[in-house]
């Protein structure tokens, strides 16, 4: 059955092509497995709440008739602005407009959110762009540049809100910097979501070709009900494709956790358990309540443009397992810097078990991708990362620069986590406060940071290791819990390039060293040298010679750093190999430059690397050439358990049996567009 929707329809409609529904929700109430909902161009100011899900063989599909011409938005336009003085206007909105959820009386809050300022879940938008909330009415009349923002020029467009209890209205004051809001498009966010089932278990839905924007979403930590502007809400088999997703207050797409009322933001509400402990509680409760491969996850997010969201482009915990995130453009996330906390990134996923992140272009985010806990069986392949660190020196100083973010952060996971055929160009490329990672055929033009750090809970005087779970291979069932021993990392056939170090980041690195920062070392020096003190496998194996596991003699052998492997890597411009890497190729001089450029809508790598890359051949790597991840005893393999041969490069070209280092099978390929 096909149902038609057209925002311009003048009659009630029955969903036929001749008499279309006016609202998408009218179709969402009755669509059943196998049905398609075709939506005509127009603006749809609604929260689409699908009543039914599809099945694996009969999906329910919602499709924009013309790609990106149907726009689902959580906002309503406000036209009744009255001038106060100068550039300041005011408007009143009846609270009946908001129903049970008023974004302008609801504050952003949750575990790991840093509430350094009042932030409502609602926003005011000028011509599609969110303005800046200020703390006092006085600040509307006298706005100042907000320095942390990546777009300082726009930070003087400000708003303030208060409640008139006598009239039951939300009152707005806004400074439009000389623009007349009654002649511009000014909107306020009204709805908590745009396309999101209120009930769990509505699986096998496809959302294709829509613009989706301006939902008043709440902060989405892993210990809470993780909401997004779009999301499957604890179900299986969604496809979100070819969509333009932007201006969510917190998260654009959520593949996240269902609501556990007894655990929801428990750390915030009940201070007696640390957040890490409540996180473990959430995981075990979810397993008892049906978190399995058969019921949850296996979603696909592809070819979407995801940008200008406050917390994350894509967020998820537990609900995103076995998913594929591919061919997306994710950029300008958390650029307003009005939200702060430990759950921010272009992609922020906990428990990305057997997830594949491939061919994504991720840039200009406070942090590119953050894989937190349980990145087991996770593969990050053929992605291009750049400019994922605060871009302007005035946004940071040497005291805080060490906290600047990176392209990819993997935190307290036991692996196996596979990074292959990627390009990392940010100052800090990969943060490895973790173990069980293999890096194969990448370009890494930034530092590997936080090696041996960032795995404790921060108690100043008591032992506080973070025990994190590992799972049965390719399943959700928990196999055990363990702290992070560090190491168990493998580096094969990579190219490391030292870029010119920005002074404020170099100062931050020095400051981290001086402070003996337990969370990060701020490292922006490229290479594997941070693993100098780690044993080779043979050195580590000797610790267990002649030991049969019996007797009462105490030993440190089970708690020492795990071994590290490195082979076939090339180092440029002063990038530094680990001392025990015997076949490292160190190219002298500072000759290699690397960057990117955009031409006719295509992205090209701009580098002279292949003028200098030695043509020494490397070993063609296979799954069986890489030691399995130590704790889960799982190989670096496909989600179905089959082995991987690393014979396909960044743009899909096949390698020979004796390839060169890096993500390209042949250096001449860099003349082709990356995307």
């Amino acid at each position: 059955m096909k149902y038609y929707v057209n925002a311009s329809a003048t009659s009630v409609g029955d969903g036929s092509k001749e008499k279309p529904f006016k609202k998408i929700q009218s179709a969402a109430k009755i669509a059943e497995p196998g049905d398609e909902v075709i939506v005509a161009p127009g603006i749809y100011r609604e929260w689409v709440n699908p009543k039914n899900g599809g099945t694996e063989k009969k999906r329910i599909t919602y499709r924009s008739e013309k790609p990106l011409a149907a726009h689902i938005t959580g906002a309503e336009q406000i036209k009744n602005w009255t001038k106060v003085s100068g550039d300041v206007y005011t408007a009143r909105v009846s609270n009946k407009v908001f129903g049970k959820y008023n974004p302008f009386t609801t504050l952003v809050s949750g575990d790991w959110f840093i509430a350094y300022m009042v932030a409502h879940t609602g926003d005011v938008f000028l011509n599609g762009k969110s303005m800046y909330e200020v703390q006092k009415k006085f600040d509307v009349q006298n706005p100042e540049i907000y320095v942390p923002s990546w777009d300082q020029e726009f930070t003087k467009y400000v708003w303030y809100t208060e409640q008139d209890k006598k009239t039951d209205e939300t009152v707005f004051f806004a400074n439009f910097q000389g623009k007349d809001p009654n002649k511009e498009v000014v909107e306020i966010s009204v709805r908590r979501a745009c396309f999101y089932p209120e009930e769990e278990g509505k699986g096998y839905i496809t959302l294709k070709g829509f613009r989706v924007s301006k939902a008043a979403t709440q902060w989405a930590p892993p210990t809470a009900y993780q909401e997004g502007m779009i999301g499957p809400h604890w179900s299986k088999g969604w496809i979100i494709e070819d969509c333009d997703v932007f201006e969510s207050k917190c998260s654009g797409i959520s593949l996240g956790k269902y609501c556990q009322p007894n655990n929801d933001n428990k750390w915030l509400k009940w201070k007696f358990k640390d957040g890490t402990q409540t996180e473990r509680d959430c995981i075990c409760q979810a397993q008892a309540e049906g978190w399995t491969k058969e019921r949850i996850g296996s979603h696909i997010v592809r070819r979407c443009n995801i940008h200008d969201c406050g917390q994350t482009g894509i967020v998820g915990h537990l609900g995103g397992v076995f998913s594929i995130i591919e061919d997306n453009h994710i950029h300008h996330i958390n650029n307003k810097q009005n939200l702060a906390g430990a759950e921010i990134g272009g992609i922020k996923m906990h428990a990305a078990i057997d997830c594949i992140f491939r061919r994504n272009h991720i840039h200009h985010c406070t942090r590119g991708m953050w894989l937190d806990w349980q990145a087991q069986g996770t593969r990050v392949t053929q992605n291009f990362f750049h400019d994922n660190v605060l871009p302007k020196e005035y946004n940071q100083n040497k005291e805080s620069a060490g906290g600047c973010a990176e392209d990819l952060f993997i935190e307290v996971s036991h692996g196996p986590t596979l990074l292959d055929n990627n390009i990392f160009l940010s100052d800090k490329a990969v943060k490895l406060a973790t173990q069980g990672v293999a890096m194969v055929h990448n370009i890494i033009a930034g530092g590997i940071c936080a090696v041996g750090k960032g795995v404790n809970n921060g108690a100043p005087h008591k032992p506080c290791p973070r025990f994190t779970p590992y799972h049965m291979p390719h399943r959700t069932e928990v196999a055990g819990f363990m702290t992070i021993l560090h190491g168990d990392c493998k580096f094969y056939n990579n190219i490391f390039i030292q870029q010119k170090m920005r002074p404020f980041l170099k100062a931050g690195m020095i400051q981290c060293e001086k402070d003996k920062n337990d969370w990060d070392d701020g490292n922006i020096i490229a290479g594997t040298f941070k693993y100098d003190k780690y044993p080779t496998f043979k050195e580590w194996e000797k610790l267990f010679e002649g030991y049969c596991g019996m007797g009462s003699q105490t030993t440190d052998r089970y708690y020492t750093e795990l071994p590290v492997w490195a082979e076939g890597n090339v180092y440029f411009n002063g990038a530094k190999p680990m001392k025990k890497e015997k076949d490292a190729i160190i190219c002298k001089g500072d000759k290699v430059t690397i960057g990117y450029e955009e031409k006719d809508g295509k992205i090209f790598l701009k580098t002279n690397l292949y003028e200098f890359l030695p043509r020494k051949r490397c070993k063609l790597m296979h799954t069986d050439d890489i030691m399995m991840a130590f704790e889960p005893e799982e190989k670096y393999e496909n989600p179905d358990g089959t082995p991987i041969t690393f014979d396909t490069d960044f743009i899909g070209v096949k390698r020979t049996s004796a390839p060169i280092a890096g993500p390209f099978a042949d250096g001449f390929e860099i003349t082709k567009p990356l995307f």
Side-chain angles (χ1 to χ4, degrees):
M1 184 77 178
K2 290 187 177 181
Y3 295 103
Y4 293 85
V5 182
N6 193 325
S8 301
T10 56
S11 60
V12 175
D14 57 11
S16 64
K17 193 169 186 178
E18 296 75 20
K19 294 183 178 181
F21 292 130
K22 191 176 181 68
K23 294 284 188 181
I24 303 171
Q25 184 58 37
S26 299
K29 288 180 180 178
I30 58 176
E32 295 183 343
D35 290 346
E36 183 178 21
V37 178
I38 303 170
V39 184
I43 297 177
Y44 297 84
R45 299 186 184 277
E46 55 180 310
W47 174 351
V48 182
N49 172 24
K51 181 181 178 181
N52 301 310
T55 66
E56 188 171 6
K57 294 183 178 179
K58 292 184 176 181
R59 310 182 64 81
I60 299 177
T61 298
Y62 295 78
R63 176 171 60 85
S64 176
E65 184 178 42
K66 182 179 178 182
L68 302 181
H71 184 178
I72 307 172
T73 177
E76 292 287 342
Q77 190 170 357
I78 304 299
K79 300 180 180 180
N80 61 328
W81 293 93
T82 303
K83 192 168 187 176
V84 176
S85 65
D87 296 329
V88 177
Y89 289 75
T90 187
R92 288 173 170 265
V93 176
S94 170
N95 286 335
K96 292 180 181 178
V97 169
F98 303 110
K100 295 179 181 179
Y101 178 77
N102 185 339
F104 299 99
T105 59
T106 306
L107 298 180
V108 178
S109 66
D111 289 350
W112 290 283
F113 175 69
I114 301 172
Y116 70 93
M117 61 182 285
V118 171
H120 290 89
T121 58
D123 259 320
V124 178
F125 304 90
L126 174 62
N127 298 326
K129 187 173 182 177
S130 60
M131 298 168 63
Y132 286 71
E133 183 176 9
V134 292
Q135 307 299 294
K136 301 184 295 246
K137 193 187 300 184
F138 173 84
D139 296 334
V140 179
Q141 189 72 56
N142 303 277
E144 296 181 354
I145 287 176
Y146 182 56
V147 172
S149 172
W150 291 26
D151 183 9
Q152 290 189 359
E153 293 76 10
F154 196 70
T155 61
K156 284 194 171 184
Y157 290 82
V158 298
W159 62 271
Y160 174 80
T161 187
E162 62 187 22
Q163 292 295 305
D164 188 333
K165 294 183 179 180
K166 290 184 179 179
T167 60
D168 193 28
E169 291 176 315
T170 296
V171 185
F172 296 93
F173 298 88
N175 191 321
F176 295 102
Q177 294 296 312
K179 292 182 170 61
D180 184 345
N182 295 310
K183 295 180 180 179
E184 310 290 336
V185 178
V186 179
E187 300 167 289
I188 60 169
S189 43
V190 172
R191 300 169 193 88
R192 194 165 185 164
C194 290
F195 194 97
Y196 195 97
E198 287 192 273
E199 295 182 357
E200 300 169 16
K202 309 301 179 184
Y204 298 104
I205 289 175
T206 295
L207 183 71
K208 182 177 179 65
F210 289 85
R211 298 185 78 209
V212 185
S213 73
K214 306 183 189 77
T217 50
Q218 183 55 279
W219 185 254
T223 48
Y225 166 49
Q226 287 187 310
E227 60 188 58
M229 195 152 59
I230 304 169
H233 193 184
W234 205 245
S235 64
K236 186 173 180 178
W238 274 44
I239 298 175
I240 303 166
E241 59 186 5
D242 303 311
C243 292
D244 185 15
V245 181
F246 61 99
E247 283 287 8
S248 175
K249 181 68 177 196
C250 289
S251 295
I253 297 172
S254 172
L255 306 180
K257 194 175 74 63
Y258 68 113
C259 184
Q260 297 174 337
N262 59 312
N263 274 332
D264 198 51
N265 284 315
K266 189 173 182 178
W267 189 28
L268 178 69
K269 300 171 184 175
W270 199 69
K271 300 293 185 182
F272 306 107
K273 278 189 177 181
D274 186 270
T276 298
Q277 191 173 350
T278 60
E279 166 76 346
R280 287 189 290 268
D281 292 346
C282 287
I283 294 165
C284 292
Q285 180 176 335
Q287 182 171 301
E289 293 178 347
W291 178 48
T292 64
K293 186 175 184 177
E294 289 71 31
R295 294 184 66 247
I296 303 299
S298 298
H299 307 298
I300 298 172
V301 181
R302 62 190 174 202
R303 300 188 303 273
C304 291
N305 182 24
I306 306 169
H307 56 101
D308 293 290
C309 297
Q311 179 193 339
T312 62
I314 301 174
V315 73
H317 179 218
L318 305 177
V321 291
F322 314 110
S323 293
I324 298 172
I325 314 296
E326 62 182 1
D327 298 306
N328 300 289
H329 185 196
I330 302 173
H331 56 104
H332 295 93
I333 301 298
N334 191 237
N335 284 187
K336 290 177 72 176
Q337 291 281 290
N338 61 326
L339 302 180
E343 306 301 327
I344 287 171
I347 298 174
K348 175 66 196 283
M349 293 280 283
H350 283 76
I353 298 172
D354 279 2
C355 286
I356 298 174
F357 302 88
R358 66 186 170 208
R359 297 189 303 272
N360 300 290
H361 183 196
I362 304 176
H363 63 97
H364 288 95
C365 299
T366 299
R367 172 171 281 124
M369 182 188 298
W370 189 348
L371 301 176
D372 205 349
W373 293 45
Q374 303 147 278
Q376 182 169 333
T378 308
R379 187 177 185 185
V380 180
T381 182
Q382 299 168 302
N383 301 281
F384 181 34
F385 297 86
H386 61 88
D387 293 293
N388 294 305
V389 65
L390 301 185
K392 299 175 182 178
E393 267 70 357
Y394 60 68
N395 279 333
Q396 289 289 335
N397 53 49
K398 68 178 182 179
E399 282 73 27
S400 59
C404 289
E406 55 287 313
D407 285 332
L408 174 60
F409 181 13
I410 307 172
E411 184 175 9
V412 290
S413 173
H414 299 287
T417 310
L418 175 61
L419 318 180
D420 68 285
N421 294 293
N422 301 287
I423 302 171
F424 300 99
L425 296 190
S426 294
D427 305 79
K428 293 165 73 172
V430 185
K431 189 173 185 177
L432 293 181
T434 193
Q435 64 187 50
V437 175
M439 298 187 70
V440 184
H441 280 292
N442 302 282
I443 287 176
I444 305 106
I448 295 176
C449 58
V451 171
K453 294 179 177 289
V455 303
N456 295 319
N457 265 344
H461 306 299
K462 298 286 186 180
C464 55
R466 282 192 280 180
F467 285 86
T468 53
Y470 54 96
H471 300 260
M472 302 297 293
H474 312 299
R475 300 288 304 175
T476 59
E477 289 80 2
V478 175
F481 289 83
M482 186 55 186
T483 59
I484 302 300
L485 300 177
H486 299 290
D488 193 26
C489 291
K490 300 92 179 176
F491 302 93
Y492 294 106
N493 303 353
N494 301 289
I495 297 172
F496 293 89
I497 303 170
Q498 179 64 56
Q499 299 189 80
K500 185 177 180 181
M501 289 188 279
R502 290 194 281 168
F504 86 107
L505 289 174
K506 185 175 181 180
M509 179 174 66
I510 294 169
Q511 190 67 40
C512 283
E513 184 78 18
K514 180 180 177 181
D515 295 341
K516 298 182 179 180
N517 190 319
D518 190 44
W519 293 99
D520 197 355
D521 54 13
N523 179 53
I524 56 171
I525 301 173
T528 55
F529 71 99
K530 282 290 181 177
Y531 288 96
D532 276 349
K533 72 173 185 177
Y534 287 75
T536 64
F537 179 76
K538 288 184 177 180
E539 290 171 336
W540 180 72
E541 188 179 33
K542 285 182 179 179
L543 299 175
F544 299 88
E545 287 181 357
Y547 183 71
C548 62
M550 298 176 64
S552 59
Q553 183 179 0
T554 58
T555 179
D556 290 330
R557 61 172 64 89
Y558 296 114
Y559 304 97
T560 189
E561 290 91 349
L562 297 168
V564 173
W565 293 255
E567 184 178 330
N569 302 299
V570 183
Y571 299 82
F572 286 101
N573 297 1
K576 298 163 61 177
M578 56 187 288
K579 292 177 181 178
K580 297 174 184 177
E581 184 175 355
K582 294 182 179 179
D583 70 341
I585 298 177
I586 303 171
C587 299
K588 302 294 184 180
D590 298 324
K591 300 176 182 179
V592 172
T593 60
I594 190 164
Y596 68 96
E597 60 184 350
E598 185 174 350
K599 293 181 182 178
D600 301 322
K602 300 288 186 181
I603 302 296
F604 295 83
L605 195 65
K606 187 177 181 180
T607 183
N608 61 358
L609 167 64
Y610 289 92
E611 296 176 22
F612 302 101
L613 182 69
R615 291 291 161 167
K616 180 180 178 181
R617 297 292 169 169
C618 305
K619 180 179 180 179
L620 180 63
M621 300 298 295
H622 305 265
T623 288
D624 288 341
D625 296 319
I626 306 172
M627 176 64 76
M628 66 183 179
F630 173 73
E631 208 67 64
E633 300 178 23
E634 181 179 335
K635 294 181 178 181
Y636 294 84
E637 60 192 9
N638 289 309
D640 62 1
T642 57
I644 298 170
T645 297
F646 295 91
D647 60 355
T648 305
D649 79 353
F650 185 96
I651 58 175
V653 173
K654 289 292 184 180
R655 291 187 168 93
T656 67
S657 58
I660 60 174
F664 296 100
D666 189 324
F668 295 108
E669 296 164 34
I670 63 169
T671 60
K672 299 177 182 179
L674 303 180
F675 299 98

